[in-house]
Amino acid sequence: MRNILRKSMMNVSPLALASAVMVGTVGASPVLANDQLVELAKDPANWVMTGRDYNAQNYSEMDEINKENVKELRPAWSFSTGVLNGHEGTPLVVGDKMFVHTPFPNIVYALDLKDPGTILWQNKPQQNPTARTVACCDVVNRGLAYWPGDDENGPLIFRTQLDGHIAALDAETGETVWMMENSDIKVGSTLTIAPYVIKDMVLVGSSGAELGVRGYVTAYDVKTGEKRWRAFATGPDEELKLAEDFNEPNPHYGQFNLGTETWEGDAWKIGGGTNWGWYAYDPEEDLFYYGSGNPAPWNETMRPGDNKWTMAIWGREAETGEAKFAYQKTPHDEWDYAGVNVMMLSEQEDKEGNMRKLLTHPDRNGIVYTLDRTNGDLISADKMDDTVNWVKEVQLDTGLPVRDPEFGTRMDHQARDICPSAMGYHNQGHDSYDPERKLFMLGINHICMDWEPFMLPYRAGQFFVGATLNMYPGPKGDRENGLGLGQIKAYNAITGEMAWEKMERFSVWGGTMSTAGGVTFYGTLDGFIKARDSDTGDLLWKFKLPSGVIGHPMTYQHDGRQYVAIMYGVGGWPGVGLVFDLNDPTAGLGSVGAFRRMKEFTQMGGGLMVFSLDGEGPYSDPNVGEYVSGEDA
Amino acid sequence: MYATISRLGFGGAVMLCALGSATAQEADAPVDDDQTLRICASTKDAPYSTEDGTGFENRIAEVLADETGMKLDLVMIDNDAIYLFRDGIEKDLCDVLVGVDAGDERLLTSEPYYRSGYAFISRQDRNFEGDKWQDVDQEGFETFSYRYHTPAETILKYSGRYEYNLVYQASLTNFEDRRNQYTQVPADLVVSEVAAGNADMAIIFAPDAGRYVRDSNEPLKMTLITNEIERSDGMIIPLQYSQSVGVTEDKPELLEKIDQALISGKDRIQAILDEENIPTLPLDS
């Protein structure tokens, strides 16, 4: 493992580091990052992590922009990142600075919110260009993490790189403080996930399941990059880091030895289960939550068994990495329903009127799961659309999905109209939760597929097993014209009801943001940012961006004014046809066919648009940022 | 001897239609009559078949045409050879594939004309000994090059060597995304990796490797594996295969001509196999 540290760091003995950790946990005085991040997030002016706060609610208490005046939103300023691939995620705002990330080559920009025409610093890493060919689905990146610093160290920005590195940048200067190799590009492992700061650790996932990567999550010391712990998704219990009481409240989920026993032979060693989605954290429980992805290899006939613990919702203790619970949503996945989707935390009364700490997860398989996040109890599992058909229901007592064999993907079976398709009804979008309305605002794919398996024999005992995938709009879309591929819905996790739902021309790929102003914002693949009434779903405002959106909106306040910002830049899996100029409808596992009409609406781009009421902002005073002789050093 | 090469690629098929209808006598147009031997071959199946028609099966195709007295129409398909049946025979672009396993159920197959097997290839200076598939599990032999979708994968899995080696193997295709895609390592690379010392051993069907072993500057040792694999479910995976000419089920009379040609052209074909440095086994073994 390669390790680039500043020279001064090299002299720290392991003993000294270990004792520093001890002090951090046992000692009374140090203010840990999560306390500071919680405090920073309490100020609605900031947006300190990808999901705004540890609850990952993407919700802002600001109401300066509200359903009455949202139609007066106008661009205040904009910024081009200089990169044309798909832009996922959202920028961060801390105080006077905004931090903007890009897809490969993974540049980070710091902008001065007083005068965003000034780039405070930019950091562009040297990367192995091989990374581009290894990444499966465009060269996206989902965002940055911020560590507020302590008495000795200044604040840091963390960035993942497609070539598998995690870097710590000085938030003031942009200088690279340390860099660690988290995933070896030589083993086909890339990084697209946004890093996540808890205490004085930064958490990083992994990508590249199909190339024999065995998924893991790793915690690094924010100051040194030293690895604190690493927990795998498959394999022996020690490497899964299962707590002694793992799944004790729900033994029917399975407990010990299953990371090896639910695989044939040593197949767990190349079993996938990477995690490239989003994290959430409950500081009181000291548990963080995330989803592990699909098992590998892709073809299910090659890996009999449940393939645990791929496709699972994990609750792990941040300090040790130990898993308190894991719930496998899709045992033995046949569809590529990689369950890395967002985990949104809320506190709500359950049906019996008991206040519960909840975790809600709209899974790629078309089910929205809500668990008690203290122990993993399954509280509800509802279809996010009634057209989901691979599963008849999820039994709440066993946690098991009851499959409909008609929509399975066995070798001897041609399946028509499997919903959702391999892209899932919900992919990487970061959705939001409105605690006033108790509604989860879900951006949804409405795409189904035909699955035609084939086996091609060749000489000398060789054969190739594959499938032809054709994807098209779900039953509620316009199949004849290839449109109606998305939905936006407001979901109540306690009643299971949808407060409202609207169809979209394309998938709502990037996710949503909701606000106390009663407005839900999101971007569309065809390049609009839209605002809907959070109570009714009525469309209140939209603006045409330069390119389609696959990231999620954010909001911040500066100088007393509320802004809404969103990154544009079409790409990612839905955009592979556009990005790589593909025409075969079955290419990109069928994405090219499903999104064949997107090029009629948008083309590649890459940047950020920032809106405010009437477009008021730093340049309302035209003298801001003007050239004055002798003042630019 | 007459030989024409039709090219059926992406745009090739369009060209073909245009030419075919305009001038029936044009040499490029495949003609389906009993005087034309329509053989499908891949543009990317070295050493069997190559775009320039110098693969050893391309040369055997010429022998077959010559011995049957038919005019050869070598229909070049711009895709991996695994697609030849689907994209050539099933679409009625051709009637014959030069190399298929004897008894391939999709086709009528000729009497086998040679038999060979999977082989270990290592540098001579490594002094590798062994001709059972289990012999792959030896100290000092850690890294293996092979071709995907072959019994070589089964050998490595059953030896407990597969997972460790997977990363190296994926590097041979530059980590190309394999989700639902046919991905293959070129045969010459499998061999040259051993010569270069990057792989300790190659496991490969010997006809894939013969000419590259012959041409290697670094002396290499090629050993045919002599046993077969019994899978945990009891199924037998043979490691030796007899090769036949495959003929479309629609033309049993053509199969008779091919069988005759294989007899009359036996020595010429054997000369090609020998030149190719393919180790062969007795046909009745």
Side-chain angles (χ1 to χ4, degrees):
Chain A
M1 176 161 283
R2 200 145 56 93
N3 182 347
I4 304 165
L5 287 175
R6 281 194 306 195
K7 265 190 182 153
S8 60
M9 299 291 182
M10 303 296 273
N11 300 325
V12 181
S13 73
L15 190 67
L17 281 170
S19 54
V21 174
M22 289 282 287
V23 172
T25 52
V26 182
S29 56
V31 180
L32 293 169
N34 46 313
D35 303 329
Q36 283 194 55
L37 281 175
V38 169
E39 288 306 310
L40 283 170
K42 278 184 182 158
D43 181 352
N46 294 324
W47 195 278
V48 293
M49 55 186 88
T50 49
R52 214 200 92 75
D53 61 14
Y54 279 132
N55 290 321
Q57 290 181 350
N58 263 6
Y59 174 81
S60 172
E61 286 171 6
M62 285 192 287
D63 60 1
E64 180 194 330
I65 298 167
N66 53 54
K67 55 170 100 173
E68 277 71 44
N69 63 18
V70 66
K71 60 179 181 295
E72 289 151 29
L73 280 183
R74 301 286 181 274
W77 58 275
S78 60
F79 177 74
S80 168
T81 60
V83 181
L84 282 181
N85 291 79
H87 285 55
E88 290 184 348
T90 206
L92 305 185
V93 163
V94 186
D96 282 339
K97 288 197 190 69
M98 175 183 277
F99 301 98
V100 181
H101 67 285
T102 77
F104 183 90
N106 305 121
I107 308 165
V108 180
Y109 298 100
L111 304 178
D112 179 357
L113 292 177
K114 297 191 293 291
D115 176 10
T118 304
I119 299 173
L120 293 171
W121 54 258
Q122 50 191 297
N123 182 307
K124 180 179 176 180
Q126 290 288 325
Q127 288 195 72
N128 182 345
T130 314
R132 290 183 67 96
T133 61
V134 175
C136 77
C137 315
D138 198 7
V139 295
V140 296
N141 184 281
R142 298 191 179 82
L144 305 168
Y146 178 79
W147 178 68
D150 60 16
D151 296 345
E152 293 157 18
N153 301 68
L156 298 169
I157 286 287
F158 295 96
R159 166 188 62 204
T160 53
Q161 299 176 187
L162 194 67
D163 70 358
H165 287 81
I166 164 82
L169 315 180
D170 184 316
E172 296 297 328
T173 65
E175 181 199 350
T176 304
V177 177
W178 57 258
M179 188 179 283
M180 290 292 289
E181 185 182 84
N182 177 74
S183 319
D184 188 350
I185 195 72
K186 291 193 283 309
V187 312
S189 188
T190 52
L191 268 183
T192 58
I193 191 172
Y196 198 72
V197 167
I198 297 176
K199 305 187 188 189
D200 51 359
M201 296 179 291
V202 57
L203 270 54
V204 188
S206 53
S207 304
E210 188 45 35
L211 290 158
V213 175
R214 185 180 156 214
Y216 50 81
V217 53
T218 313
Y220 297 95
D221 185 301
V222 285
K223 296 176 200 169
T224 64
E226 175 133 337
K227 187 166 87 183
R228 290 282 189 82
W229 50 256
R230 171 168 287 176
F232 287 87
T234 70
D237 290 350
E238 316 82 81
E239 296 178 21
L240 299 169
K241 293 188 84 67
L242 302 185
E244 276 182 17
D245 58 352
F246 173 71
N247 272 351
E248 211 166 77
N250 292 288
H252 53 284
Y253 292 174
Q255 289 184 278
F256 301 104
N257 302 318
L258 299 173
T260 51
E261 285 176 1
T262 59
W263 296 87
E264 191 178 57
D266 284 346
W268 56 267
K269 291 181 180 170
I270 53 165
T274 52
N275 64 102
W276 41 270
W278 311 98
Y279 298 102
Y281 175 58
D282 182 337
E284 286 174 11
E285 306 292 327
D286 192 31
L287 289 178
F288 73 94
Y289 310 95
Y290 69 100
S292 51
N294 57 298
W298 188 84
N299 192 305
E300 61 90 22
T301 58
M302 307 293 196
R303 46 172 170 79
D306 271 358
N307 310 139
K308 280 184 168 58
W309 290 90
T310 65
M311 303 298 213
I313 296 174
W314 291 89
R316 288 186 184 274
E317 200 175 81
E319 190 60 38
T320 60
E322 281 194 350
K324 303 294 280 187
F325 69 83
Y327 164 59
Q328 190 182 40
K329 299 157 289 182
T330 316
H332 186 73
D333 167 60
E334 306 170 34
W335 304 267
D336 197 13
Y337 291 153
V340 302
N341 319 61
V342 65
M343 308 278 168
M344 292 171 281
L345 309 187
S346 66
E347 289 181 36
Q348 299 190 60
E349 282 182 8
D350 64 15
K351 281 184 177 140
E352 286 74 42
N354 304 313
M355 198 54 132
R356 306 281 291 263
K357 285 183 144 188
L358 303 179
L359 170 165
T360 297
H361 166 85
D363 195 81
R364 192 149 137 182
N365 68 14
I367 304 289
V368 197
Y369 298 87
T370 295
L371 274 58
D372 181 323
R373 69 173 183 264
T374 64
N375 57 19
D377 288 354
L378 182 60
I379 290 176
S380 64
D382 298 315
K383 292 186 178 184
M384 64 183 80
D385 194 74
D386 54 12
T387 56
V388 170
N389 63 14
W390 71 274
V391 59
K392 291 173 179 166
E393 60 161 341
V394 176
Q395 295 173 330
L396 293 182
D397 52 347
T398 65
L400 292 173
V402 180
R403 299 174 187 227
D404 186 337
E406 181 60 27
F407 304 102
T409 66
R410 305 179 308 281
M411 270 313 288
D412 56 352
H413 177 63
Q414 276 195 22
R416 297 279 172 232
D417 224 348
I418 303 174
C419 305
S421 76
M423 302 183 95
Y425 268 6
H426 193 284
N427 204 283
Q428 64 83 45
H430 199 312
D431 284 331
S432 59
Y433 172 68
D434 181 330
E436 284 179 39
R437 292 166 181 80
K438 302 197 188 319
L439 291 176
F440 290 90
M441 307 302 184
L442 306 179
I444 291 175
N445 299 335
H446 190 60
I447 308 174
C448 301
M449 68 175 175
D450 293 341
W451 173 282
E452 195 175 323
F454 59 78
M455 204 276 272
L456 290 176
Y458 186 47
R459 74 175 89 220
Q462 305 174 38
F463 60 92
F464 171 56
V465 175
T468 306
L469 275 66
N470 278 302
M471 294 188 188
Y472 41 78
K476 296 175 182 173
D478 177 355
R479 292 190 165 175
E480 202 169 320
N481 294 301
L483 296 172
L485 294 151
Q487 293 178 311
I488 178 149
K489 293 187 171 193
Y491 167 75
N492 183 313
I494 305 302
T495 65
E497 304 287 318
M498 296 290 171
W500 50 265
E501 57 182 273
K502 304 286 174 185
M503 288 298 293
E504 281 284 344
R505 183 174 285 134
F506 296 108
S507 306
V508 183
W509 193 264
T512 64
M513 173 189 68
S514 51
T515 71
V519 187
T520 298
F521 293 90
Y522 60 101
T524 66
L525 282 167
D526 49 353
F528 284 94
I529 176 171
K530 296 185 180 180
R532 288 188 185 270
D533 185 320
S534 298
D535 290 304
T536 63
D538 290 348
L539 189 59
L540 302 175
W541 170 82
K542 69 179 174 187
F543 181 87
K544 181 69 177 79
L545 299 160
S547 175
V549 178
I550 57 172
H552 58 280
M554 56 86 75
T555 183
Y556 69 94
Q557 190 185 60
H558 189 259
D559 209 8
R561 182 174 284 113
Q562 185 184 358
Y563 296 86
V564 171
I566 192 163
M567 300 185 82
Y568 62 83
V570 79
W573 193 359
V576 289
L578 268 177
V579 173
F580 300 114
D581 200 16
L582 305 173
N583 291 306
D584 176 357
T586 64
L589 290 180
S591 151
V592 173
F595 291 97
R596 70 181 189 276
R597 297 205 54 191
M598 210 153 72
K599 61 178 183 288
E600 299 169 35
F601 298 89
T602 192
Q603 293 294 328
M604 292 170 77
L608 174 82
M609 288 286 295
V610 183
F611 302 86
S612 62
L613 294 174
D614 293 323
E616 291 287 329
Y619 302 117
S620 295
D621 174 358
N623 293 314
V624 169
E626 272 307 286
Y627 168 72
V628 178
S629 180
E631 281 194 7
D632 284 345
Chain B
M1 190 191 67
Y2 307 100
T4 60
I5 297 183
S6 315
R7 291 187 195 287
L8 293 182
F10 219 45
V14 178
M15 284 261 297
L16 183 78
C17 298
L19 287 172
S21 56
T23 51
Q25 300 306 310
E26 189 71 43
D28 276 21
V31 182
D32 186 9
D33 62 38
D34 58 7
Q35 292 307 306
T36 304
L37 186 60
R38 302 190 306 166
I39 295 183
C40 272
S42 162
T43 55
K44 33 186 164 188
D45 192 28
Y48 300 95
S49 175
T50 54
E51 193 168 9
D52 62 4
T54 57
F56 77 86
E57 286 189 350
N58 301 147
R59 295 172 58 204
I60 292 173
E62 289 171 6
V63 173
L64 292 175
D66 205 25
E67 296 291 335
T68 53
M70 296 167 79
K71 180 181 158 189
L72 176 62
D73 184 10
L74 197 60
V75 181
M76 275 290 175
I77 294 193
D78 192 16
N79 206 345
D80 290 289
I82 201 163
Y83 295 103
L84 287 182
F85 179 79
R86 188 191 76 178
D87 294 355
I89 301 281
E90 282 195 323
K91 291 188 178 159
D92 195 26
L93 297 174
C94 56
D95 306 309
V96 174
L97 302 181
V98 173
V100 299
D101 287 347
D104 187 323
E105 288 175 353
R106 300 168 301 169
L107 296 147
L108 305 171
T109 56
S110 71
E111 287 297 312
Y113 60 97
Y114 75 103
R115 181 173 174 81
S116 188
Y118 282 83
F120 297 129
I121 296 170
S122 58
R123 277 163 59 145
Q124 275 186 11
D125 60 16
R126 297 297 302 273
N127 299 316
F128 173 81
E129 293 296 332
D131 62 1
K132 304 276 187 285
W133 66 261
Q134 292 90 340
D135 294 326
V136 74
D137 190 13
Q138 289 193 21
E139 205 172 321
F141 290 82
E142 312 288 340
T143 307
F144 303 90
S145 56
Y146 59 92
R147 306 191 81 185
Y148 286 116
H149 316 291
T150 67
E153 287 181 305
T154 317
I155 291 175
L156 288 173
K157 280 178 184 169
Y158 275 56
S159 316
R161 299 272 186 177
Y162 177 77
E163 288 81 9
Y164 171 82
N165 190 64
L166 193 71
V167 168
Y168 164 74
Q169 175 71 14
S171 75
L172 300 181
T173 51
N174 202 16
F175 298 101
E176 190 183 331
D177 182 14
R178 294 187 64 213
R179 288 187 310 174
N180 205 29
Q181 290 182 41
Y182 182 75
T183 305
Q184 196 51 284
V185 184
D188 60 339
L189 183 62
V190 171
V191 177
S192 66
E193 283 288 288
V194 174
N198 297 331
D200 296 314
M201 186 187 290
I203 308 171
I204 188 169
F205 190 47
D208 288 13
R211 71 164 70 168
Y212 307 118
V213 171
R214 178 196 68 196
D215 296 343
S216 174
N217 290 328
E218 176 69 39
L220 300 175
K221 177 178 181 180
M222 175 159 61
T223 316
L224 284 181
I225 300 170
T226 54
N227 57 346
E228 59 196 11
I229 305 175
E230 184 178 350
R231 263 182 12 182
S232 56
D233 60 4
M235 191 175 149
I236 299 294
I237 300 178
L239 296 173
Q240 301 81 35
Y241 291 86
S242 295
Q243 296 296 289
S244 296
V245 176
V247 177
T248 176
E249 288 181 321
D250 301 336
K251 298 194 174 173
E253 71 287 352
L254 184 56
L255 179 67
E256 288 175 30
K257 287 189 186 176
I258 294 287
D259 272 327
Q260 284 299 323
L262 287 171
I263 293 168
S264 60
K266 188 170 187 295
D267 293 345
R268 296 170 68 186
I269 292 172
Q270 189 59 49
I272 292 171
L273 299 174
D274 289 345
E275 190 189 328
E276 193 70 19
N277 190 36
I278 295 173
T280 55
L281 297 163
L283 278 169
D284 54 2
S285 66

